[in-house]
Amino acid sequence: DDLVDVCYRHRAPKRQRVVLKVYPADTDGRPTYFSPESLKYIMGATMTGGGSLMIAGEPDEQTGLLHALNTLFYPDHVAIPETNAEIIKQYNEFDAVMYGLTHGKNVENLKLEFGLPGVFSRAFDASTGTGGCISVTLLHVGDQWAWNKRLATPSPLVEYEIAIPVPSGKHPTRVFFGSPDSDVLALPVALDFEISSGNIRCKIPRLDIFGTLLIAYEAAH
């Protein structure tokens, strides 16, 4: 939750994007590298807050394998496992797809009050004047909030029903959901939705660790 807040609250007022540097040595017990689950939570928490994560490192001259810095002091670095390198690639590609929706010059923080048990969320508004898109980033933590002390990854939320209040002055027209944790959802897919009692209601196909709900809207007349 600290990573989320750092990114979310320190973007204003100039809307400059926060870039975090997190090192493997920051984890309890100083492992050789982040576990795949911890890496997803670090990247997901950063993106939930509207920031980005820098993996500080460089290719090894002899093997060509990508290495991450363990501390600021060269050559204290460790090889990034192939699984983790793929996670970094997937999350960065998804983050690039979200440019202009969760981050960018036209994106503002949006206060959107709603509760999701076991899910940390933030909202952003990319307005075009006559319409725009609300992005709701979702970080699935279950009942364990400390990524570096996690005992087990919570079970995925499948066909998870969600209700989000319709912001004043906006008329939702389409809803999408995407996640870097799934090849099927790497590009956001359209969802069926309804508006009931002032809420946008839909079912998220699958939320493992991180995902983004996109709500396209027209300005209400």
Side-chain angles (χ1 to χ4, degrees), residues 64-85:
L65 296 176
L66 186 63
H67 281 63
L69 297 179
N70 204 33
T71 68
L72 286 172
F73 301 100
Y74 185 85
D76 183 13
H77 59 273
V78 292
I80 297 178
E82 184 177 346
T83 298
N84 291 35

Side-chain angles (χ1 to χ4, degrees), residues 32-130:
T32 56
Y33 196 71
F34 300 120
S35 70
E37 291 75 18
S38 289
L39 180 60
K40 288 182 179 180
Y41 273 104
I42 296 167
M43 299 192 76
T46 307
M47 292 164 62
T48 298
S52 63
L53 184 74
M54 174 182 289
I55 305 296
E58 60 185 28
D60 182 271
E61 293 181 357
Q62 294 182 343
T63 67
L65 296 176
L66 186 63
H67 281 63
L69 297 179
N70 204 33
T71 68
L72 286 172
F73 301 100
Y74 185 85
D76 183 13
H77 59 273
V78 292
I80 297 178
E82 184 177 346
T83 298
N84 291 35
E86 184 63 23
I87 290 171
I88 294 170
K89 178 175 179 288
Q90 291 170 339
Y91 270 70
N92 283 341
E93 287 180 347
F94 186 81
D95 195 38
V97 171
M98 292 294 106
Y99 180 74
L101 298 172
T102 62
H103 59 283
K105 294 182 178 180
N106 63 314
V107 179
E108 300 280 359
N109 290 330
L110 177 66
K111 187 175 182 179
L112 199 59
E113 300 289 350
F114 65 99
L116 292 174
V119 176
F120 208 133
S121 64
R122 292 297 192 197
F124 307 90
D125 184 13
S127 175
T128 61
T130 59

Side-chain angles (χ1 to χ4, degrees), residues 116-153:
L116 292 174
V119 176
F120 208 133
S121 64
R122 292 297 192 197
F124 307 90
D125 184 13
S127 175
T128 61
T130 59
C133 183
I134 294 170
S135 302
V136 182
T137 50
L138 305 170
L139 184 67
H140 180 209
V141 297
D143 59 358
Q144 300 179 63
W145 293 82
W147 57 266
N148 59 336
K149 298 178 181 179
R150 181 164 297 279
L151 300 177
T153 303

Side-chain angles (χ1 to χ4, degrees), residues 158-176:
V158 181
E159 292 298 314
Y160 185 67
E161 189 167 343
I162 186 172
I164 296 177
V166 178
S168 176
K170 304 182 190 303
H171 175 66
T173 57
R174 292 177 294 171
V175 175
F176 302 85

